[in-house]
Coordinates of all heavy atoms in Angstrom, one line a residue:
P204 N 5.9 0.6 1.5 CA 6.4 -0.3 2.6 C 6.8 -1.7 2.1 O 7.7 -2.3 2.6 CB 5.3 -0.3 3.6 CG 4.4 0.8 3.3 CD 4.6 1.1 1.9
E205 N 6.0 -2.2 1.2 CA 6.1 -3.6 0.8 C 7.5 -3.8 0.2 O 8.1 -4.9 0.4 CB 5.1 -4.0 -0.2 CG 3.7 -4.1 0.4 CD 3.0 -2.8 0.6 OE1 3.5 -1.7 0.1 OE2 2.0 -2.7 1.4
V206 N 8.0 -2.9 -0.5 CA 9.4 -3.1 -1.2 C 10.4 -2.1 -0.5 O 11.5 -2.1 -1.0 CB 9.3 -2.8 -2.7 CG1 8.5 -3.9 -3.4 CG2 8.7 -1.4 -3.0
R207 N 10.0 -1.4 0.5 CA 10.9 -0.6 1.3 C 11.6 0.5 0.5 O 12.8 0.6 0.5 CB 11.9 -1.4 2.1 CG 11.2 -2.4 3.1 CD 12.2 -3.2 3.9 NE 13.2 -2.5 4.6 CZ 13.0 -1.8 5.7 NH1 11.8 -1.8 6.3 NH2 14.0 -1.1 6.3
T208 N 10.8 1.2 -0.3 CA 11.4 2.2 -1.1 C 10.8 3.6 -0.9 O 9.6 3.6 -0.5 CB 11.3 2.0 -2.7 OG1 9.9 1.8 -3.0 CG2 12.1 0.7 -3.1
V209 N 11.5 4.6 -1.0 CA 11.0 6.0 -1.0 C 11.4 6.6 -2.3 O 12.6 6.6 -2.7 CB 11.6 6.8 0.1 CG1 11.1 8.3 0.0 CG2 11.2 6.3 1.5
E210 N 10.5 7.0 -3.1 CA 10.8 7.7 -4.4 C 10.6 9.2 -4.2 O 9.5 9.6 -3.8 CB 9.9 7.2 -5.5 CG 10.2 7.7 -6.8 CD 9.4 7.2 -8.0 OE1 8.5 6.4 -7.7 OE2 9.6 7.7 -9.1
F211 N 11.6 9.9 -4.5 CA 11.5 11.4 -4.5 C 11.1 11.9 -5.8 O 11.7 11.6 -6.9 CB 12.9 12.0 -4.1 CG 13.4 11.7 -2.8 CD1 14.4 10.7 -2.6 CD2 12.9 12.3 -1.6 CE1 14.9 10.4 -1.3 CE2 13.3 11.9 -0.4 CZ 14.4 11.0 -0.2
R212 N 10.0 12.7 -5.9 CA 9.5 13.1 -7.2 C 9.3 14.7 -7.2 O 9.2 15.3 -6.2 CB 8.2 12.4 -7.5 CG 8.3 10.9 -7.6 CD 7.0 10.2 -7.8 NE 6.3 10.7 -9.0 CZ 6.3 10.0 -10.2 NH1 7.0 8.9 -10.3 NH2 5.7 10.4 -11.2
R213 N 9.3 15.2 -8.4 CA 9.0 16.6 -8.6 C 8.0 16.8 -9.7 O 7.9 16.0 -10.7 CB 10.3 17.4 -9.1 CG 11.5 17.3 -8.2 CD 11.3 17.8 -6.8 NE 11.3 19.2 -6.6 CZ 12.1 19.9 -5.8 NH1 13.1 19.2 -5.2 NH2 12.0 21.2 -5.6
A214 N 7.1 17.8 -9.6 CA 6.1 18.0 -10.5 C 6.1 19.5 -11.0 O 6.1 20.4 -10.1 CB 4.7 17.7 -10.0
R215 N 6.1 19.7 -12.3 CA 6.0 21.0 -12.8 C 4.6 21.5 -12.6 O 3.6 20.8 -12.7 CB 6.2 21.0 -14.3 CG 7.5 21.6 -14.8 CD 7.6 21.4 -16.3 NE 8.9 20.7 -16.6 CZ 10.1 21.3 -16.4 NH1 10.2 22.5 -16.0 NH2 11.2 20.6 -16.7
Y216 N 4.5 22.8 -12.2 CA 3.1 23.4 -12.1 C 3.1 24.8 -12.6 O 4.2 25.4 -12.9 CB 2.7 23.3 -10.6 CG 3.3 24.2 -9.7 CD1 2.6 25.4 -9.3 CD2 4.5 24.0 -9.1 CE1 3.2 26.3 -8.4 CE2 5.1 24.9 -8.2 CZ 4.4 26.1 -7.9 OH 5.0 27.0 -7.0
N217 N 1.9 25.4 -12.6 CA 1.8 26.8 -13.1 C 2.2 27.8 -12.0 O 1.4 28.3 -11.3 CB 0.3 27.0 -13.5 CG 0.2 28.3 -14.4 OD1 1.0 29.2 -14.3 ND2 -0.8 28.3 -15.2
V218 N 3.5 28.0 -11.9 CA 4.1 28.9 -10.9 C 3.6 30.3 -11.1 O 3.2 31.0 -10.1 CB 5.7 28.8 -11.0 CG1 6.2 29.8 -10.0 CG2 6.2 27.4 -10.7
A219 N 3.5 30.7 -12.4 CA 3.1 32.1 -12.6 C 1.7 32.4 -12.1 O 1.4 33.4 -11.5 CB 3.1 32.4 -14.1
R220 N 0.8 31.4 -12.2 CA -0.6 31.5 -11.7 C -0.6 31.6 -10.2 O -1.3 32.5 -9.6 CB -1.4 30.4 -12.2 CG -2.9 30.5 -11.8 CD -3.8 29.7 -12.7 NE -5.1 29.5 -12.1 CZ -6.0 30.4 -12.0 NH1 -5.8 31.6 -12.5 NH2 -7.2 30.2 -11.3
A221 N 0.1 30.7 -9.5 CA 0.2 30.8 -8.1 C 0.8 32.1 -7.6 O 0.3 32.7 -6.6 CB 1.0 29.6 -7.5
A222 N 1.8 32.5 -8.3 CA 2.5 33.8 -7.9 C 1.6 35.0 -8.1 O 1.5 35.9 -7.3 CB 3.8 33.9 -8.7
D223 N 0.9 35.0 -9.2 CA -0.1 36.1 -9.5 C -1.2 36.2 -8.5 O -1.6 37.3 -8.0 CB -0.7 35.9 -10.9 CG 0.2 36.3 -12.0 OD1 1.3 36.9 -11.7 OD2 -0.1 36.0 -13.2
K224 N -1.7 35.0 -8.0 CA -2.7 35.1 -7.0 C -2.2 35.7 -5.7 O -2.9 36.4 -5.0 CB -3.2 33.6 -6.7 CG -4.1 33.0 -7.7 CD -4.4 31.6 -7.2 CE -5.5 30.9 -8.0 NZ -5.7 29.6 -7.5
I225 N -0.9 35.4 -5.4 CA -0.3 36.0 -4.2 C -0.3 37.6 -4.3 O -0.6 38.3 -3.3 CB 1.1 35.4 -4.0 CG1 1.0 34.0 -3.5 CG2 2.0 36.3 -3.0 CD1 2.3 33.3 -3.4
L226 N 0.1 38.0 -5.5 CA 0.1 39.5 -5.7 C -1.3 40.1 -5.7 O -1.5 41.1 -5.1 CB 0.8 39.8 -7.0 CG 2.3 39.4 -7.2 CD1 2.8 39.6 -8.6 CD2 3.1 40.1 -6.1
E227 N -2.2 39.4 -6.3 CA -3.6 39.9 -6.4 C -4.2 39.9 -4.9 O -5.1 40.8 -4.7 CB -4.5 38.9 -7.2 CG -4.3 39.2 -8.7 CD -4.7 38.0 -9.6 OE1 -5.6 37.2 -9.1 OE2 -4.3 37.9 -10.7
A228 N -3.8 39.0 -4.1 CA -4.3 39.0 -2.7 C -3.7 40.1 -1.9 O -4.1 40.4 -0.7 CB -4.0 37.7 -2.0
G229 N -2.7 40.8 -2.4 CA -2.1 41.9 -1.7 C -1.0 41.4 -0.7 O -0.6 42.1 0.2
L230 N -0.6 40.2 -0.9 CA 0.5 39.6 0.0 C 1.8 40.1 -0.5 O 2.0 40.6 -1.6 CB 0.4 38.1 -0.1 CG -0.8 37.5 0.6 CD1 -1.1 36.0 0.1 CD2 -0.5 37.5 2.1
P231 N 2.9 40.1 0.4 CA 4.2 40.6 0.0 C 4.7 40.0 -1.3 O 4.7 38.8 -1.5 CB 5.1 40.2 1.2 CG 4.1 40.1 2.3 CD 2.9 39.5 1.7
P232 N 5.2 40.9 -2.2 CA 5.7 40.4 -3.5 C 6.8 39.4 -3.4 O 7.0 38.6 -4.3 CB 6.2 41.7 -4.2 CG 5.4 42.8 -3.6 CD 5.2 42.4 -2.2
S233 N 7.6 39.5 -2.3 CA 8.7 38.5 -2.2 C 8.2 37.1 -2.1 O 8.9 36.1 -2.5 CB 9.5 38.8 -0.9 OG 8.6 38.7 0.2
L234 N 6.9 36.9 -1.6 CA 6.4 35.5 -1.6 C 6.0 35.0 -2.9 O 6.0 33.8 -3.1 CB 5.1 35.5 -0.6 CG 5.4 35.9 0.8 CD1 4.1 35.9 1.6 CD2 6.4 35.1 1.5
A235 N 5.7 35.9 -3.9 CA 5.5 35.5 -5.2 C 6.8 35.2 -6.0 O 7.0 34.2 -6.6 CB 4.7 36.6 -6.0
A236 N 7.8 36.1 -5.8 CA 9.1 36.0 -6.5 C 9.8 34.7 -6.1 O 10.4 34.0 -6.9 CB 10.0 37.2 -6.1
R237 N 9.7 34.3 -4.8 CA 10.5 33.1 -4.4 C 9.9 31.8 -5.0 O 10.7 30.8 -5.1 CB 10.6 33.0 -2.9 CG 9.3 32.8 -2.2 CD 9.5 33.0 -0.7 NE 10.4 32.1 0.0 CZ 10.7 32.0 1.3 NH1 10.1 32.9 2.1 NH2 11.6 31.2 1.7
L238 N 8.7 31.8 -5.4 CA 8.1 30.6 -6.1 C 8.8 30.3 -7.4 O 9.1 29.2 -7.8 CB 6.6 30.7 -6.3 CG 5.7 30.7 -5.0 CD1 4.3 30.7 -5.5 CD2 6.0 29.6 -4.1
H239 N 9.1 31.5 -8.1 CA 9.8 31.3 -9.4 C 11.2 30.8 -9.2 O 11.8 30.2 -10.1 CB 9.8 32.7 -10.1 CG 8.5 33.1 -10.6 ND1 7.9 32.6 -11.8 CD2 7.6 34.1 -10.2 CE1 6.7 33.2 -12.0 NE2 6.5 34.1 -11.1
E240 N 11.8 31.3 -8.1 CA 13.2 30.9 -7.9 C 13.4 29.6 -7.2 O 14.5 29.0 -7.3 CB 13.9 32.0 -7.0 CG 13.9 33.4 -7.7 CD 13.9 34.5 -6.7 OE1 14.0 34.3 -5.4 OE2 13.9 35.7 -7.1

Side-chain angles (χ1 to χ4, degrees):
E205 290 76 14
V206 292
R207 301 180 53 78
T208 57
V209 175
E210 183 178 1
F211 296 105
R212 296 175 63 96
R213 305 299 283 241
R215 250 176 235 291
Y216 76 97
N217 194 336
V218 175
R220 185 162 161 71
D223 283 350
K224 283 179 171 179
I225 286 173
L226 298 175
E227 283 160 22
L230 287 161
S233 61
L234 298 181
R237 66 191 300 182
L238 293 185
H239 287 286
E240 295 156 1

